[in-house]
Amino acid sequence: MTTTATPAPPAVRRGGASDRARSEQRLAWYLCAPAFVLMLVVTAYPMIQAVWLSLQSYRITDPESREFVWFQNYAVVLSDGLWWRDVAVTVLITIITVVVELIIGFALAMVMHRIIFGRGAVRTSILVPYGIITVVSAFAWQFAFAPDSGFINTLFGLENYDFFAQFGSSIAVICMSEIWKTTPFMSLLLLAGLAQVPEELQEAAKVDGATPWQRLWKVTIPNMKAAIMVALLFRTLDAYRIFDNVFIMTSGAQGTETVSFLAYRQMISRTAVGLGSAVSVLLFLTVVLIAVVFIKLFKVDLGRVRGDG
């Protein structure tokens, strides 16, 4: 009687991964390790250091009196009306700029998506403001609205009206500068979303008699929900950290100080490292909270959008 030897199954190690898969995973870790370590050095370490400094009473001009005070700096910041006023100003600027940028950015994205002739020139001209450095843009808008050197007063016959002498007009100029500078970024993200909307759905809706407005609300926008979420999230996080325009145009005068400017003023101008670090940590936590709320509200599975699901 003869027996037939059954071929041994391929060696599968613990976890179900083959030797090749484990080797590829090991290679991936080797390739990612330098970037991962660099990220830890340039991001994680400063964040941990900021949290550590926020728990101390520490002024650069008086290092001898440095002491550990636990959460006292956070209590001082959160009980001060200045913090809440700056939060309100920051939220106001964020809401105005993001809403206006979404509307204008969507219109520009539609133009860039539908235009047939001169598409490259139109797209380039729309994206030019985003290529300008924010500080340069802020100086340009400040000079335009300055009562002595600007052309806005001459153009509208406002004589010596000072836009930066009142809260409302100062916020308006800051918002206009921010909108002009970053709307192209919003339109670029929305343009990517428009490209993902199947043309077959548009044609089917057109055959069914849907008007352009109905196709926009029933077909286009629902199919670019992920792109809208990404655009709103990126711009909201960026707008909430606004600093350059406020620093150049008003330096926080007329009640236009934002949270980022408050952190700068506490840390650099007043040399109160502990309080400045506490403001910075609170700003970071607010940004994280905004990101979590956006992801929860939109309920978008980005993996399925990419076609991985």
Side-chain angles (χ1 to χ4, degrees), residues 154-165:
T154 305
L155 187 64
F156 293 97
L158 299 176
E159 298 182 352
N160 294 323
Y161 181 77
D162 189 354
F163 281 89
F164 301 106

Side-chain angles (χ1 to χ4, degrees), residues 53 56 58 73-74 76-77 266 270 272-280:
L53 290 173
Q56 302 178 43
Y58 176 35
N73 287 329
Y74 292 95
V76 171
V77 173
Q266 293 294 327
R270 297 188 64 246
V273 177
L275 277 175
S277 298
V279 174
S280 300

Side-chain angles (χ1 to χ4, degrees), residues 25-266:
Q25 290 177 0
R26 194 179 304 112
L27 175 62
W29 276 108
Y30 289 153
L31 295 175
C32 293
F36 182 72
V37 172
L38 183 62
M39 185 179 296
L40 282 180
V41 172
V42 300
T43 60
Y45 174 74
M47 290 169 60
I48 295 172
Q49 181 73 6
V51 173
W52 173 250
L53 290 173
S54 70
L55 302 177
Q56 302 178 43
S57 175
Y58 176 35
R59 298 181 73 96
I60 295 179
T61 54
D62 187 17
E64 300 297 328
S65 62
R66 181 174 180 173
E67 60 177 336
F68 197 79
V69 294
W70 288 99
F71 298 99
Q72 185 176 328
N73 287 329
Y74 292 95
V76 171
V77 173
L78 294 175
S79 61
D80 195 323
L82 178 63
W83 160 260
W84 295 108
R85 190 198 69 179
D86 291 354
V87 169
V89 172
T90 307
V91 170
L92 176 65
I93 294 175
T94 302
I95 292 175
I96 293 174
T97 56
V98 173
V99 170
V100 175
E101 286 174 19
L102 177 63
I103 297 172
I104 300 177
F106 191 83
L108 294 177
M110 291 289 286
V111 171
M112 290 190 288
H113 183 64
R114 294 295 182 186
I115 193 169
I116 299 176
F117 301 104
R119 174 174 293 185
V122 171
R123 290 185 176 183
T124 302
S125 60
I126 290 175
L127 296 176
V128 163
Y130 190 64
I132 298 175
I133 300 171
T134 306
V135 174
V136 176
S137 167
F139 271 119
W141 280 81
Q142 185 198 36
F143 288 143
F145 282 87
D148 52 350
S149 60
F151 63 88
I152 297 297
N153 284 1
T154 305
L155 187 64
F156 293 97
L158 299 176
E159 298 182 352
N160 294 323
Y161 181 77
D162 189 354
F163 281 89
F164 301 106
Q166 297 85 28
F167 172 78
S169 54
S170 299
I171 290 293
V173 177
I174 290 172
C175 289
M176 284 191 286
S177 173
E178 187 77 2
I179 291 167
W180 178 82
K181 170 72 174 60
T182 53
T183 295
F185 177 68
M186 179 79 86
S187 63
L188 199 61
L189 295 177
L190 295 176
L191 177 62
L194 281 173
Q196 294 179 348
V197 179
E199 197 61 33
E200 294 80 8
L201 292 180
Q202 299 281 5
E203 294 296 331
K206 193 181 298 183
V207 170
D208 291 340
T211 64
W213 189 253
Q214 289 173 326
R215 293 202 299 272
L216 174 66
W217 284 102
K218 301 293 184 182
V219 178
T220 304
I221 291 180
N223 282 282
M224 56 183 297
K225 190 176 177 181
I228 294 174
M229 188 210 73
V230 172
L232 285 177
L233 177 60
F234 280 15
R235 275 303 302 138
T236 302
L237 298 182
D238 196 33
Y240 194 82
R241 296 181 290 110
I242 181 173
F243 175 82
D244 308 61
N245 284 316
V246 176
F247 180 79
I248 298 298
M249 294 186 186
T250 64
S251 296
Q254 317 304 338
T256 57
E257 186 176 74
T258 59
V259 176
S260 294
F261 194 87
L262 175 63
Y264 162 81
R265 194 162 59 81
Q266 293 294 327

